[in-house]
Amino acid sequence: MSRACALWQRVPAPVVDIVLVAVAAVDVWLNMWDHTRLGVAPAAVGCAALFFRRRFPLGVFLLTLPVALMQDVAVVVLVALFTLAERSRNRLLLAGCVALSAVASSTPWPLAEVDRTMTLVFFVYGLATAAAPVLFGQLFQAQRDLARRLAEIEEAREHERALHAQAVLARERAQLAREMHDVVSHQVSLIAVRAGALQVATKDADAKEAARTIRSLSVTTLDELRTMVTLLRASGGHATELTPQPTLVDLHKLVESSGTHAELSGELPSAVGTPAQRALYRTVQEALTNVRKHAPGARAHVELWQDGDDVGVTVTNSPSTRPSLSLPGSQQGLVGLRERADILHGTLEAGLTAEGGYRVRLRIPLSTD
């Protein structure tokens, strides 16, 4: 049935109206009692009026009432009622039109002596007959409203899915920015530090020039990385971690290759979750990177510790022993560490020590998953 309705809706409206006018005219001609000019003229007007039923449904219905007076059941009246019910939401008006149609169909024509019993029977029959197209028209109207509502709901869902995709993309951008800062900045700054040390220590002119070039390129890379990180973080949020990710097993290698005088002490239980291990690792990585960049020659101490239901790491460095290199900073390192700590319901503290050094301290719950 739905397929037939879909095919019917594809037929142009003028074609449908012309067909209905022709069917109504044939029905009137075959069933009309009075074929005089007085009877044919109102019937012809009522049939022709069906062509305008979409624009003037109430007026067309009123023009078809004379046909209901001349016939027991007239297609033209039923079509007019259906169109009016399909397009009107005024239930009182529809009830009045049903009553008018029943009155017209139950009134004797030509006018003669009225048999009250038969008139009442015809009136009830006319009510039932007129109510049918009205109910079908209201059903089509409800179906059309439901289809429109479903389309709006689907559009809202599509919009919601698009917003969700944008939010996921934003979180991925922020996570990517954090990983770029934590990993790439760590390696490039190490290259810059080593190149600067080589530039000062070597006596060979070619080696000194190569070291200077490497350091210059590293500084430029860090500066570009800072811009990229800023752009990526512009619309970000928290997101799931990217893989593969380092854990506490990699801390010894990180400390040994940090390019600073650093030592690692303390141990943590094996129950520390993977997200907590990554947060501890990134904290140490960022702290040692800052020591290389801002406190050259300083000694650093990385201490892993457990305090009740909390675990953490403290990275403390002494004051620098020589001027620091002019390396650009993204100003996002500690921000990213604090974000990680907040996600894990922990805290991050960072500040100067009484001796002129710097301390970074991360505390997170042991039960973090």
Side-chain angles (χ1 to χ4, degrees):
M1 181 178 178
S2 59
R3 186 175 181 180
C5 292
L7 293 175
W8 177 257
Q9 291 175 353
R10 294 181 182 178
V11 181
V15 175
V16 174
D17 293 337
I18 291 174
V19 171
L20 289 176
V21 169
V23 172
V26 172
D27 174 69
V28 168
W29 182 259
L30 294 177
N31 297 284
M32 188 171 58
W33 303 326
D34 186 2
H35 285 82
T36 63
R37 181 178 301 180
L38 180 62
V40 172
V45 171
C47 292
L50 286 183
F51 193 80
F52 304 97
R53 64 191 180 90
R54 302 176 191 273
R55 295 185 61 184
F56 311 104
L58 180 59
V60 170
F61 166 73
L62 295 177
L63 290 176
T64 62
L65 285 179
V67 183
L69 185 64
M70 301 173 190
Q71 293 184 227
D72 293 333
V73 178
V75 172
V76 62
V77 180
L78 300 183
V79 172
L81 274 174
F82 173 82
T83 305
L84 179 61
E86 184 188 15
R87 296 173 178 271
S88 175
R89 300 182 185 275
N90 190 334
R91 302 293 177 82
L92 186 61
L93 173 65
L94 294 177
C97 291
V98 169
L100 282 177
S101 176
V103 169
S105 62
S106 61
T107 301
W109 182 265
L111 295 177
E113 184 178 351
V114 177
D115 185 343
R116 296 183 179 180
T117 302
M118 292 305 300
T119 300
L120 181 60
V121 171
F122 287 142
F123 178 76
V124 174
Y125 178 74
L127 281 178
T129 304
V134 170
L135 293 177
F136 276 108
Q138 290 286 281
L139 178 62
F140 271 78
Q141 184 184 97
Q143 183 184 27
R144 186 172 59 247
D145 293 343
L146 179 60
R148 186 184 302 112
R149 180 58 179 165
L150 289 177
E152 292 175 355
I153 293 175
E154 183 61 26
E155 183 180 354
R157 287 180 176 176
E158 288 293 336
H159 182 65
E160 182 180 355
R161 283 193 286 266
L163 291 179
H164 177 69
Q166 292 176 5
V168 171
L169 178 60
R171 291 196 296 269
E172 291 295 336
R173 284 162 57 100
Q175 179 62 25
L176 179 59
R178 183 181 300 126
E179 298 302 324
M180 288 178 61
H181 180 273
D182 290 345
V183 179
V184 181
S185 176
H186 172 77
Q187 302 296 336
V188 175
S189 61
L190 179 59
I191 294 173
V193 170
R194 294 293 177 87
L198 178 61
Q199 182 181 358
V200 174
T202 186
K203 302 298 183 181
D204 184 85
D206 292 338
K208 186 183 291 290
E209 178 62 21
R212 187 194 67 80
T213 302
I214 293 174
R215 179 178 176 275
S216 176
L217 291 175
S218 300
V219 171
T220 302
T221 302
L222 284 174
D223 190 45
E224 292 177 353
L225 177 63
R226 176 188 62 185
T227 302
M228 293 176 62
V229 167
T230 302
L231 291 175
L232 287 172
R233 291 179 62 90
S235 61
H238 303 311
T240 55
E241 299 289 343
L242 302 179
T243 57
Q245 289 289 326
T247 60
L248 294 179
V249 178
D250 305 301
L251 267 183
H252 290 279
K253 183 179 179 180
L254 174 65
V255 173
E256 291 174 359
S257 62
S258 64
T260 62
H261 301 289
E263 59 179 8
L264 176 64
S265 66
E267 293 183 358
L268 291 177
S270 58
V272 177
T274 302
Q277 292 189 45
R278 290 198 289 261
L280 293 167
Y281 181 94
R282 294 306 187 195
T283 301
V284 174
Q285 184 182 55
E286 176 65 22
L288 294 181
T289 299
N290 289 337
V291 172
R292 288 196 312 273
K293 292 166 61 175
H294 307 299
R299 291 185 174 276
H301 180 221
V302 180
E303 179 187 5
L304 299 173
W305 48 267
Q306 180 178 3
D307 182 12
D309 293 333
D310 295 336
V311 294
V313 63
T314 302
V315 183
T316 307
N317 65 272
S318 61
S320 60
T321 59
R322 59 177 184 269
S324 62
L325 297 173
S326 178
L327 296 176
S330 68
Q331 304 298 323
Q332 299 295 337
L334 293 179
V335 173
L337 294 181
R338 286 194 174 91
E339 288 180 356
R340 290 178 183 271
D342 290 340
I343 294 174
L344 300 176
H345 307 289
T347 59
L348 179 79
E349 300 174 359
L352 296 173
T353 63
E355 294 79 15
Y358 203 81
R359 177 185 294 112
V360 176
R361 180 182 178 87
L362 173 68
R363 174 188 292 268
I364 51 179
L366 175 63
S367 59
T368 299
D369 294 326

